Amino acid sequence: MAAPAPVGPSGSRSPRLAAGLRLFPVLGLLQLLAEPGLGRVHHLALKDDVRHKVHLNTFGFFKNGYMKVNVSSLSVNEPKGATDKDSTIGFSLDRTKNDGFSSYLDEDVNYCILKKQSASVTLLILNISRSEVKIKSPPEAGTQLPKIIFTKDEKVVGQSQEPGVDPVSAGSQAPKEQESGKSKRSTVDSKATGEKSFSVRNNDGAVSFQFFFNISTDDQEGLYSLYFHKCLRSDVWSNDKFSFSLDIEITEKNPDSYLSAGEIPLPKLYVSMAFFFFLSGTIWIHILRKRRNDVFKIHWLMAALPFTKSLSLVFHAIDYHYISSQGFPIEGWAVVYYITHLLKGALLFITIALIGTGWAFIKHILSDKDKKVFMVVIPLQVLANVAYIIIESTEEGATEYGLWKDSLFLVDLLCCGAILFPVVWSIRHLQEASATDGKAAINLAKLKLFRHYYVLIVCYIYFTRIIAFLLKLAVPFQWKWLYQLLDEMATLVFFVLTGYKFRPASDNPYLQLSQEEDDLEMESVVTTSGVMESMKKVKKVTNGSVEPQGDWEGSA
């Protein structure tokens, strides 16, 4: 039985404990979000799902990599009056060189790859009533595509009895279970069509089986995607009449890592970029200490950003290290990474919005319009980070995965668009001020500064959200880490340029404006005093320039 919480003299919990209890729901939420994600050792359970196509996973394989799939329970709930010919279920294994296009087109919702006579992908078509699965392989199977090795034993990955195929020698990283014995299976081979049929275990309509493949040659390397399909006769039945339940485990591994081919360099990449962000933050702190008289509060907020980003990258690297070595993350490190990622995202958008409003640079209070922007940006950014965490910790084939992925894309774009409004308002304010208050040169200098900042934000958003993403789709599968490299480098360049433009220096235009305003305020105070109300300040002209002087003239 748990011990009661300590209480104070008045019977209430201590303030420190109360603060910890208030923080517990947030940490508990992050821990719950982190638990479902099992890295590259996947487990997905679907119950009464009505989707016609489920993307189970995508993984990039090098030579001697392997995938093992264990279907422990697969059943279809058919309405009364339905026959075996009304529905077709099965899996497809697609291979591409990049993440941009698949080998077959599926634009039409009613299109079913399982019913196609000749396909460029490997198909596993199930017949539950006959307790068998049919494998249809394209002609290039065995040379450019790996052969599927099938077994109905859930605990044993058996050796293939086909001549010339030895799954143990195909890759040194193949599962150790291969060596435990030959599979118990029955095979019907049709050489004319290239189809093979295997019997599966059927337990009251729920079938179980296991298959795997090895990447034995360099030509077989690539990006492999596994899909589950449910095909119906659309002229007879609607999609929601048939549902299926699926319990599947997928293990993917490259020779030295559980990470996909394009993700293997990520731990080292994140550590390297964390060092550069930490270095930039250290240099920024040195600049702030050197020019203490010109430092505003927002400069310290800007200083916190690179250190938070650096911590986030370090914890992200640790998270990927454990996934690489054991196939799934350590929950504690995953939770710490999610916390720092959440703080970094919120701090980034708050800092950009504050700079855009000109807070502390051209004004010391936020207008009502500025406050409304923060009321929109901050919740949206928190929602975007929560969506990112859910996506990272949810299996790709889960029902809610697609919804959160689309929500993240939309919310992120809304955040990026919202932070542009304060910059636009500051530019418009400076344009009006330069035409009315007589300080055109100073205001035009500030106007130029904020215009540059607006262009900088637009370029940063455009590059990280569009250009880098398109590059991710276009590059070969083993170079997908370039997307993260360009994204982190663009963020570092954005931080450095923002710090340079808004550095604490006396020659910056926003400081010039503050000094002029202070002089005007002092002049108004002096000239309106009772003793010197007839005095006026004298300015001397030297070489065509006006210089304020401390001399005063008066009339009797």
Side-chain angles (χ1 to χ4, degrees):
M1 185 173 180
V7 296
S10 60
S12 60
R13 292 183 176 87
S14 63
R16 182 177 299 178
L17 178 62
L21 292 176
R22 288 194 296 269
L23 184 61
F24 178 76
V26 178
L27 298 178
L29 174 62
L30 293 173
Q31 185 174 4
L32 290 175
L33 292 176
E35 285 178 355
L38 295 178
R40 275 59 186 171
V41 180
H42 306 272
H43 176 252
L44 178 64
L46 301 176
K47 182 69 174 177
D48 296 329
D49 201 314
V50 297
R51 289 176 290 175
H52 73 282
K53 178 181 176 181
V54 179
H55 185 191
L56 297 176
N57 73 305
T58 298
F59 196 85
F61 287 99
F62 285 131
K63 183 180 178 180
N64 295 331
Y66 71 86
M67 176 190 287
K68 182 174 66 174
V69 180
N70 181 19
V71 180
S72 57
S73 178
L74 172 59
S75 60
V76 178
N77 303 321
E78 299 178 343
K80 294 182 179 180
T83 62
D84 293 341
K85 296 181 179 180
D86 293 333
S87 65
T88 305
I89 61 173
F91 299 86
S92 68
L93 184 65
D94 180 27
R95 169 181 172 269
T96 57
K97 285 297 184 181
N98 55 55
D99 207 10
F101 302 96
S102 62
S103 299
Y104 57 91
L105 299 177
D106 53 354
E107 298 176 357
D108 188 359
V109 176
N110 298 322
Y111 174 81
C112 183
I113 188 67
L114 300 180
K115 295 182 179 180
K116 195 171 183 180
Q117 295 299 324
S118 60
S120 59
V121 298
T122 302
L123 304 177
L124 289 82
I125 305 175
L126 283 161
N127 191 324
I128 297 180
S129 61
R130 296 176 57 182
S131 300
E132 71 173 17
V133 58
K134 182 196 301 180
I135 298 181
K136 296 175 63 176
S137 301
E140 59 267 24
T143 57
Q144 297 182 2
L145 291 175
K147 286 189 175 181
I148 302 294
I149 301 173
F150 184 85
T151 175
K152 69 177 182 180
D153 195 333
E154 298 179 11
K155 297 181 180 180
V156 178
V157 178
Q159 301 177 2
S160 172
Q161 297 179 354
E162 297 298 321
V165 178
D166 185 3
V168 178
S169 61
S172 59
Q173 298 298 326
K176 294 181 179 179
E177 297 94 296
Q178 298 176 27
E179 303 174 358
S180 61
K182 295 183 179 181
S183 64
K184 302 174 183 179
R185 66 174 185 172
S186 61
T187 306
V188 178
D189 191 355
S190 175
K191 295 183 179 179
T193 60
E195 299 179 359
K196 299 182 180 68
S197 297
F198 301 92
S199 62
V200 297
R201 180 178 298 176
N202 192 331
N203 184 13
D204 295 331
V207 297
S208 303
F209 58 93
Q210 190 177 37
F211 66 90
F212 77 101
F213 66 83
N214 295 306
I215 306 300
S216 56
T217 65
D218 294 336
D219 293 335
Q220 294 177 0
E221 294 181 346
L223 197 64
Y224 286 79
S225 298
L226 183 65
Y227 296 87
F228 175 80
H229 302 270
K230 180 193 69 174
C231 306
L232 302 176
R233 289 180 57 189
S234 57
D235 57 333
V236 179
W237 302 100
S238 61
N239 192 58
D240 57 353
K241 295 292 184 180
F242 287 80
S243 63
F244 66 90
S245 299
L246 174 65
D247 195 303
I248 186 172
E249 294 180 2
I250 304 173
T251 302
E252 309 151 319
K253 192 173 188 300
N254 273 307
D256 299 316
S257 174
Y258 280 96
L259 291 176
S260 178
E263 297 175 340
I264 293 176
L266 288 183
K268 295 180 180 178
L269 169 64
Y270 287 143
V271 169
S272 302
M273 294 306 301
F275 170 76
F276 286 111
F277 278 102
F278 182 83
L279 181 62
S280 64
T282 304
I283 296 175
W284 182 252
I285 291 291
H286 174 72
I287 294 174
L288 297 186
R289 291 174 58 88
K290 189 176 180 181
R291 296 185 173 274
R292 295 180 180 179
N293 296 331
D294 302 325
V295 173
F296 295 145
K297 292 181 180 179
I298 195 171
H299 286 132
W300 295 109
L301 190 64
M302 294 167 65
L305 189 55
F307 291 109
T308 308
K309 175 68 175 178
S310 180
L311 277 178
S312 177
L313 288 174
V314 169
F315 293 135
H316 204 181
I318 296 174
D319 194 38
Y320 264 90
H321 168 73
Y322 282 108
I323 295 176
S324 175
S325 60
Q326 63 187 21
F328 52 89
I330 301 297
E331 290 182 7
W333 288 113
V335 170
V336 173
Y337 161 64
Y338 292 146
I339 292 175
T340 54
H341 178 79
L342 191 67
L343 292 176
K344 181 265 300 180
L347 187 59
L348 172 63
F349 278 82
I350 290 174
T351 305
I352 293 176
L354 284 175
I355 296 175
T357 59
W359 180 72
F361 294 143
I362 59 176
K363 56 185 176 182
H364 301 287
I365 59 173
L366 296 176
S367 64
D368 292 337
K369 291 194 301 183
D370 297 334
K371 293 178 181 179
K372 290 179 181 178
V373 170
F374 281 96
M375 292 176 62
V376 172
V377 169
I378 295 177
L380 284 179
Q381 183 58 28
V382 172
L383 179 60
N385 282 277
V386 170
Y388 171 80
I389 294 172
I390 293 177
I391 290 174
E392 285 287 305
S393 58
T394 304
E395 292 295 341
E396 197 167 355
T399 307
E400 65 273 13
Y401 182 88
L403 175 62
W404 282 106
K405 188 175 182 180
D406 295 337
S407 301
L408 172 62
F409 180 77
L410 177 61
V411 172
D412 192 46
L413 287 182
L414 289 176
C415 284
C416 293
I419 60 175
L420 292 175
F421 283 100
V423 189
V424 174
W425 293 336
S426 296
I427 292 174
R428 184 179 301 173
H429 169 73
L430 291 170
Q431 286 176 333
E432 296 173 352
S434 62
T436 57
D437 64 1
K439 290 178 286 188
I442 297 175
N443 285 320
L444 287 176
K446 275 204 62 59
L447 181 61
K448 184 178 180 181
L449 176 67
F450 274 81
R451 281 177 175 173
H452 288 173
Y453 188 58
Y454 176 83
V455 174
L456 184 62
I457 295 177
V458 171
C459 291
Y460 172 69
I461 295 173
Y462 185 75
F463 186 85
T464 56
R465 268 64 179 179
I466 300 177
I467 299 297
F469 179 76
L470 294 178
L471 182 65
K472 179 183 178 181
L473 300 179
V475 297
F477 71 99
Q478 66 268 34
W479 297 99
K480 288 180 65 176
W481 57 272
L482 285 176
Y483 165 73
Q484 281 82 4
L485 174 62
L486 294 177
D487 184 75
E488 300 300 338
M489 289 186 66
T491 303
L492 179 62
V493 171
F494 177 73
F495 284 5
V496 171
L497 291 179
T498 301
Y500 175 76
K501 287 186 173 297
F502 293 93
R503 66 193 182 279
S506 57
D507 58 343
N508 263 359
Y510 59 80
L511 289 174
Q512 294 176 11
L513 183 59
S514 300
Q515 293 172 357
E516 287 291 331
E517 287 178 343
D518 293 340
D519 292 342
L520 292 175
E521 291 175 0
M522 181 60 68
E523 179 181 352
S524 62
V525 171
V526 173
T527 56
T528 55
S529 61
V531 179
M532 305 182 67
E533 59 182 357
S534 61
M535 306 295 288
K536 64 179 180 180
K537 194 172 183 179
V538 176
K539 295 183 179 181
K540 295 183 180 180
V541 179
T542 304
N543 295 328
S545 60
V546 179
E547 297 179 358
Q549 302 294 329
D551 299 332
W552 295 84
E553 291 181 354
S555 58

